[in-house]
Amino acid sequence: MLAAETLRVFEGLSPKRPDDVPVRRYLALVLGRLGDRSAVPALVAAASDPDVDTRLYAVWALGRIGDPAGVEPVLAASQSEDPALRKMAAYVLGQFGDKRAIPRLAVLAEDRTADVRWNAAIALAQLGDRT
């Protein structure tokens, strides 16, 4: 019930209304914490939100839920210009346990931002890759 209502409110908010943006960020985190797979399609959409923080929180939430449908949007987020989003994506790719992420993580392990490299290295180790 709580997950369904949270999802309903999240989907009713607009990324184009400035007052809705911080609420969408928070609710993305809540949806991840609740772990209900019914939120995955909305979080996949939010992973390409115009607001970078909403994208970051949606990526985290997708990793927390762990549904395989989240892998592709997180791979896409790992190519962001924003280093915080690349860092989160690298972390989340390790959480999914999906070996399709290894080639992208190998690239992230050479990223210009140290935290991205660190998370990529940890994720590669979690996936059993010695790169």
Side-chain angles (χ1 to χ4, degrees):
M1 169 94 170
L2 178 60
E5 184 63 17
T6 303
L7 179 58
R8 185 191 66 73
V9 172
F10 180 80
E11 291 177 324
L13 296 170
S14 171
K16 295 180 181 179
R17 284 193 302 261
D19 290 345
D20 287 1
V21 172
V23 180
R24 283 176 49 81
R25 291 174 188 159
Y26 174 76
L27 291 179
L29 292 173
V30 171
L31 290 168
R33 270 288 193 202
L34 293 173
D36 190 317
R37 290 182 187 267
S38 67
V40 169
L43 291 168
V44 165
S48 57
D49 195 90
D51 176 64
V52 70
D53 287 334
T54 301
R55 289 194 311 264
L56 188 142
Y57 299 153
V59 163
W60 176 85
L62 287 167
R64 175 83 181 196
I65 294 170
D67 190 287
V71 173
E72 291 300 323
V74 174
L75 283 168
S78 77
Q79 297 181 42
S80 172
E81 288 297 316
D82 184 80
L85 187 51
R86 290 194 314 276
K87 174 183 168 182
M88 180 61 72
Y91 168 78
V92 168
L93 288 169
Q95 299 301 302
F96 277 118
D98 190 319
K99 294 199 184 275
R100 292 179 295 166
I102 290 174
R104 181 64 190 147
L105 287 167
V107 171
L108 292 171
E110 303 294 327
D111 195 89
R112 65 186 176 273
T113 303
D115 286 346
V116 175
R117 292 192 307 268
W118 178 259
N119 278 3
I122 291 171
L124 285 165
Q126 288 173 314
L127 295 173
D129 187 277
R130 293 181 170 263
T131 305

